[in-house]
Amino acid sequence: MPQLAMNTAALVVVDMQNGFVNRHSAHIVPAVAGLAGQWLAKGRPVILTRYQNHPGSPFERFFSWTRLRHPPETDLVPELFDITFHARAVVTKPGYSLFTPQADQLIAREGWTDLVFCGIATESCVLKSAADAFERGFAPWIVTDACASDAGRAVHEAGLTVARRLIGPGGLITARTALTSPADHPH
């Protein structure tokens, strides 16, 4: 069973934006804010991502979806306001994945080996970022009780099912496990 390497791990808070928070996903806002705050309190790095839709995007062309172009939809939730001041970066991304040139450079420079994902949406941006991390050779972790789908519980669960297939069942952890990993304690 893999263990989370805390000394080379970063928490990636995915797309916790006003435009993605609704009746299906609002319940995880306190969980994500709490996890990020506790992670930072332990002196560990946090990255925040923010999705920015743009005219002519694949989302517009293939889904006719034109949301999340402007504030307040694109703004991070107020509960993460203080976290933004202590985060290593806020990565603006045009698609599902964390892996933009900015994020690639940051991860390489910092030497992180483990990426711990939480946020919205489990089945899309969280899952795609974790699968991309896996394919790049990083250890991906998804914090199951600190992510949700804005499309509902069933879609969240479907995302976790696919995640077990793509990154392995050991990559799905709880916030408590993420914060108290045995690898965090010297042997």
Side-chain angles (χ1 to χ4, degrees), residues 148-159:
S149 173
D150 55 329
R153 181 82 182 158
V155 177
H156 164 76
E157 291 297 333

Side-chain angles (χ1 to χ4, degrees), residues 54-74:
H54 55 79
S57 73
F59 300 97
E60 180 181 271
R61 291 187 351 253
F62 302 122
F63 295 122
S64 298
W65 191 73
T66 57
R67 291 190 48 224
L68 276 102
R69 285 198 178 153
H70 307 286
E73 279 193 320
T74 56

Side-chain angles (χ1 to χ4, degrees), residues 3 11-12 14 20-21 23 25 27-28 36 45-46 54 56 61 66 78 84 93 96 102 128-129 156 174 177 180:
Q3 286 193 353
L11 180 68
V12 181
V14 178
F20 291 127
V21 175
R23 65 184 176 91
S25 58
H27 69 280
I28 62 135
V46 171
H54 55 79
R61 291 187 351 253
T66 57
T84 62
K93 58 191 189 60
Y96 296 117
Q102 177 191 3
K128 177 76 162 82
S129 293
H156 164 76
T174 64
T177 300
T180 61

Side-chain angles (χ1 to χ4, degrees), residues 7-8 39 45 50-51 53 61 76 82 91 94 100 109 124 136 139 144 158 178-179:
N7 58 337
T8 55
W39 190 274
R50 178 177 49 218
Y51 171 71
N53 200 0
R61 291 187 351 253
L76 296 172
D82 289 341
V91 175
T100 65
R109 184 177 68 242
S124 56
R136 285 171 165 78
T144 59
L179 292 167

Side-chain angles (χ1 to χ4, degrees), residues 82-105:
D82 289 341
I83 302 295
T84 62
F85 292 110
H86 304 288
R88 294 288 171 93
V90 177
V91 175
T92 299
K93 58 191 189 60
Y96 296 117
S97 185
L98 157 71
F99 291 93
T100 65
Q102 177 191 3
D104 288 335
Q105 290 171 1

